[in-house]
Amino acid sequence: MATLPAPTHNPGIPMKRDWSTAFRALGKLLANGDDTHQVFRIMRALNGDVTQRNYRRLLTLPNGGRLAYRRLELATRLTDRGWIDSFAEGTVGAAYRQFLDSTGYTADGLAELSMAEGAFQGVDVEHPYAWMGRRERDIHDLWHVLTGYKASEHLGEACLVAFSYAQTGGLGWGFIAMGAAFKSLRVTGSTDFLKAVIEGYRHGKRAEWLHGEDYEALMAEPIDQARQRLGIAEPARYRIAQAELEAAGLKGI
């Protein structure tokens, strides 16, 4: 593993919440949903000690200590195209491959965004909590695949961040989800977007804790079987809202 730079902030010390930064970043994100840098600014401003708490929780799981000890860098694994291409059709890995091909997204592209000035600095250092932060970042697109929430639309992102809030307890996720939901309510006058976001949160609460998964093993598992095992429900409200927005030509809100 390459040597990482010395931290400018000690990842062992929880970040203080910065509401003014969070509100400014949310305003920019709602004005331009493609400005992904703002997501990481909000995470940095509001998530406090969530990564530390999730790391400690990981260590309590039967397989968690092994995962933490290995410190696999998922961004590196998920950019290995030969590995990604090796998965049989119908598996999580094959669905992720289709996701990459259809969106043009990459794991290293997400990592680069997180390192942007003013975004999520301090995650690229040698520290257990920083590793956990990278893990939380790098599985985001895999969660799109597992949940069925599309990354190419604002509704899908809003539902996934609500799901992520339920899974992680990170206040930044919930802040973004509610901001997007209330913007939609103001623009469309319909509650379907809000209901879909609430559904995402409920599904996140009911599902198994996905941070504890061995993602190398999960990639080879049939996706329907993985969803059933993990308790990831069908996103019914999301599909209703998705159809409504498409009919109204408002996918980009």
Side-chain angles (χ1 to χ4, degrees):
M1 178 179 173
T3 301
L4 294 170
T8 55
H9 166 76
N10 184 349
I13 301 173
M15 298 291 293
K16 293 183 179 179
R17 289 201 172 100
D18 181 352
W19 285 100
S20 61
T21 294
F23 274 106
R24 285 196 302 272
L26 181 64
K28 292 178 181 178
L29 181 63
L30 294 181
N32 176 12
D34 296 324
D35 188 1
T36 314
H37 296 93
Q38 305 307 325
V39 173
F40 293 104
R41 292 191 174 100
I42 293 168
M43 296 299 106
R44 181 177 172 85
L46 295 185
N47 275 6
D49 67 342
V50 69
T51 298
Q52 292 94 323
R53 287 189 280 113
N54 285 332
Y55 181 81
R56 293 193 294 270
R57 181 178 178 183
L58 180 67
L59 295 182
T60 69
L61 302 181
N63 197 39
R66 182 183 69 85
L67 294 174
Y69 185 79
R70 288 182 63 211
R71 288 193 352 264
L72 174 70
E73 295 292 343
L74 282 171
T76 301
R77 202 70 175 112
L78 293 173
T79 53
D80 181 346
R81 187 64 198 213
W83 184 64
I84 296 298
D85 286 343
S86 71
F87 293 106
E89 290 301 319
T91 61
V92 175
Y96 181 67
R97 179 171 66 238
Q98 183 179 17
F99 170 90
L100 296 177
D101 292 343
S102 63
T103 63
Y105 296 167
T106 62
D108 52 358
L110 188 63
E112 288 172 10
L113 282 171
S114 76
M115 304 303 178
E117 180 63 29
F120 202 36
Q121 303 109 345
V123 76
D124 57 336
V125 298
E126 288 185 326
H127 191 285
Y129 293 157
W131 169 80
M132 188 67 179
R134 294 191 293 274
R135 178 178 170 83
E136 291 173 330
R137 175 198 66 198
D138 297 338
I139 59 181
H140 177 79
D141 286 343
L142 281 173
W143 285 16
H144 272 296
V145 171
L146 288 168
T147 60
Y149 296 131
K150 290 184 179 179
S152 56
E153 58 184 34
H154 298 163
L155 173 63
E157 286 291 357
C159 290
L160 186 62
V161 296
F163 183 97
S164 301
Y165 174 49
Q167 282 275 309
T168 67
L171 187 59
W173 294 122
F175 189 65
I176 294 169
M178 285 297 96
F182 285 119
K183 177 187 176 182
S184 174
L185 186 62
R186 186 179 70 249
V187 171
T188 68
S190 169
T191 60
D192 282 339
F193 192 114
L194 176 61
K195 289 176 181 176
V197 169
I198 292 171
E199 177 190 64
Y201 173 79
R202 288 174 175 165
H203 285 184
K205 289 293 283 187
R206 292 170 185 164
E208 295 294 321
W209 194 57
L210 302 187
H211 279 312
E213 285 296 301
D214 180 338
Y215 282 91
E216 284 187 299
L218 178 65
M219 293 284 276
E221 191 173 348
I223 191 165
D224 291 340
Q225 176 182 305
R227 286 169 173 159
Q228 183 175 13
R229 177 177 64 81
L230 295 170
I232 299 174
E234 289 289 322
R237 287 285 184 184
Y238 161 71
R239 288 174 181 152
I240 291 171
Q242 184 184 39
E244 181 189 69
L245 291 173
E246 287 177 354
L250 292 172
K251 286 182 67 177
I253 63 171

